[in-house]
Amino acid sequence: MQKTSDFANGGVSFWFRDVGLPAKRAPLPGPIDVDVAIVGAGLTGLWTAYYLAQASPDLKIAIVEKEFAGYGASGRNGGWLSGEPAGQFRRYAKTHGADSAKRLQRNMFDTIDEVISVASGEDIDADIVKDGLIHVATNAAQLQRLTHHVDHLRTQGWGADDLFLLTPSELGERVQVAGARGGFWTPHCARIHPAKFMIGLAAAVERLGVTIYEDTAADSISAGTVTTGRGTVTARYVVQALEGYTDSIAGQRRKLMPMNSSMIVTEPLSPSVWAEIGWSGAELVGDSGHSFAYSQRTADGRIALGGRGVPYNFASSFAADGSTAHKAVGQLMEKLQAMFPAVAGSSVQHTWSGVLGVPRDWCAAVNFDRRTGIANAGGYVGHGLTGTNLAARTLRDLILGDDTELTRLPWVGRHARRWEVEPIRWIGASALYAAYRHADRRETHSPRPETAITAKIADTISGR
Ligand SMILES: Cc1cc2nc3c(=O)[nH]c(=O)nc-3n(C[C@H](O)[C@H](O)[C@H](O)COP(=O)(O)OP(=O)(O)OC[C@H]3O[C@@H](n4cnc5c(N)ncnc54)[C@H](O)[C@@H]3O)c2cc1C
């Protein structure tokens, strides 16, 4: 497969190129005083504003955003509105018990429908189709892992209607993935077009009376105050919603590790290519490798596929505009062609990257300190599309002082320890993904069903 001559690299994402970058909103005009100041206009920030403004229309709410609404991961992602939890069941269960962790899982399932219902109510046309999610195994080790994973999910609140193992032929009826040995399908996932969704959600939030100040970067956050280069925002409550950009705030460098995830998208594929691949629905499709690839069939007949690429750069640096290293593009093209050989004659038209927020315990958290009035939510790793909505409704309840089922979920009040200092963090993250790539290669060429030892060691050391 080839890159076309107008192959675009970065510029936020293909999604925003597809619909056009929105006109910028005005920056903060100077010092202001509000009831709630939200820092970051990604999904966490916008959803929190949306639910707070709905529940309490008298609140004066302002969002300060460094670039524009949707500039971060929320406008760059793979469009999996998925029920997979933002965090790890075993860790939530360890601190709060299995029943509580199961409640989080059920709430994640329900949240998909909540997002779809808001999109419909607010007239957000974002190519949303809920056809579920397929994970595919393409070697013996992946198949064994996938089968064990399904067994685990069954003990974590995934019932008979939530999850279905697929034989190779059942899988082939939905999508032809080269070398597939089997897979599973869950109805709990919907495809979305991230930029269309962000543009629509930002407009819905404004209709509720919230002001979004763009081109306004926060430098520091303290009780009742957000300091920006354009003036200070004073507020009774401050919500920090920065995910992979958390380290831009003074004193928060080691809180979340910004991890890159990169994507490529093909040109619209011809009917003959689609005939070979099948995939006539809008299921999201992922592999079962350690380094993990995720894909969607877009509404206009392309394949958008992502993976970790070059996951972490020294001292948390990353290309803010989303431009992607050639090495990562090459890896993604190889993966795409390995999964769907029929795309060999088609071209890739765009590549981009974004950053995930990874906490030291790989578990998302929702926090509110009533004494300082500071709230934050994040650490979703790669599962924030659904998680951000649930986290935002939880923040609403916490801030408004309502004791609800949401405020008792096990990700409320979690505080992971900080990441190691550099260069230990860089060495660790680089070694982790080198080990996963090595394990993937070994498993591809091995008839044995056991997970490669390098991946097991990497899981243990990283705490993943
Ligand atoms: C390539 C990629 C693919 C992904 N695919 C999926 C997927 O398919 N499904 C899924 O569930 N999740 C996926 N994710 C993760 C998901 O996108 C995120 O978890 C989610 O969007 C996080 O939303 P957020 O609002 O917390 O953070 P963000 O969307 O990153 O928002 C943070 C905002 O803060 C702004 N900002 C930064 N610094 C400052 C500052 N100092 N002051 C003010 N504003 C600032 C940024 O510009 C940004 O708009 C993916 C992520 C990436 C990068």
Side-chain angles (χ1 to χ4, degrees), residues 52-76:
L52 272 175
Q54 255 194 351
S56 196
D58 293 339
L59 285 178
K60 202 170 164 198
I61 304 173
I63 305 180
V64 291
E65 160 58 46
K66 183 172 182 225
E67 302 286 344
F68 62 85
Y71 178 82
S74 303
R76 306 182 189 215

Side-chain angles (χ1 to χ4, degrees), residues 44-229:
T44 302
L46 292 181
W47 278 128
T48 305
Y50 182 83
Y51 287 110
L52 272 175
Q54 255 194 351
S56 196
D58 293 339
L59 285 178
K60 202 170 164 198
I61 304 173
I63 305 180
V64 291
E65 160 58 46
K66 183 172 182 225
E67 302 286 344
F68 62 85
Y71 178 82
S74 303
R76 306 182 189 215
N77 58 71
W80 288 33
L81 184 64
S82 137
E84 292 187 45
Q88 298 192 348
F89 183 91
R90 68 187 158 89
R91 290 188 194 271
Y92 296 132
K94 194 171 171 195
T95 52
H96 288 71
D99 284 347
S100 178
K102 283 181 190 165
R103 271 197 296 280
L104 177 60
Q105 181 59 74
R106 295 314 305 179
N107 271 286
M108 285 288 290
F109 289 158
D110 294 345
T111 300
I112 299 170
D113 296 325
E114 165 69 13
V115 172
I116 294 172
S117 142
V118 174
S120 150
E122 298 288 352
D123 271 336
I124 302 174
D125 182 2
D127 302 341
I128 303 177
V129 180
K130 190 179 174 192
D131 272 353
L133 164 66
I134 294 172
H135 274 284
V136 182
T138 53
N139 60 49
Q142 287 186 9
L143 186 59
Q144 189 182 67
R145 219 166 32 245
L146 181 140
T147 312
H148 286 166
H149 184 55
V150 166
D151 292 343
H152 273 125
L153 291 176
R154 293 270 182 237
T155 66
Q156 297 175 3
W158 295 64
D161 294 339
D162 298 318
L163 199 56
F164 301 83
L165 271 171
L166 300 175
T167 62
S169 70
E170 286 166 338
L171 179 64
E173 283 166 25
R174 290 175 179 270
V175 56
Q176 293 283 342
V177 176
R181 307 267 186 110
F184 73 75
W185 175 78
T186 165
H188 299 296
C189 194
R191 176 198 70 192
I192 71 163
H193 183 301
K196 289 183 184 175
F197 192 82
M198 289 307 288
I199 290 169
L201 182 60
V205 164
E206 288 179 314
R207 281 196 296 276
L208 289 170
V210 174
T211 309
I212 305 172
Y213 297 105
E214 296 188 333
D215 264 337
T216 304
D219 303 318
S220 69
I221 292 174
S222 56
T225 308
V226 178
T227 311
T228 84

Side-chain angles (χ1 to χ4, degrees), residues 39-45 64-82 216-219 241-245 248-249 259 261-263 294 352-356 377-378 380-386 388:
V39 184
L43 283 166
T44 302
V64 291
E65 160 58 46
K66 183 172 182 225
E67 302 286 344
F68 62 85
Y71 178 82
S74 303
R76 306 182 189 215
N77 58 71
W80 288 33
L81 184 64
S82 137
T216 304
D219 303 318
L242 292 172
E243 190 64 347
Y245 303 90
S248 64
I249 299 300
M259 187 176 277
S261 199
S262 303
M263 296 198 69
Y294 49 92
W352 70 97
S353 296
V355 279
L356 319 168
Y380 315 101
V381 191
H383 297 282
L385 254 68
T386 310
T388 47

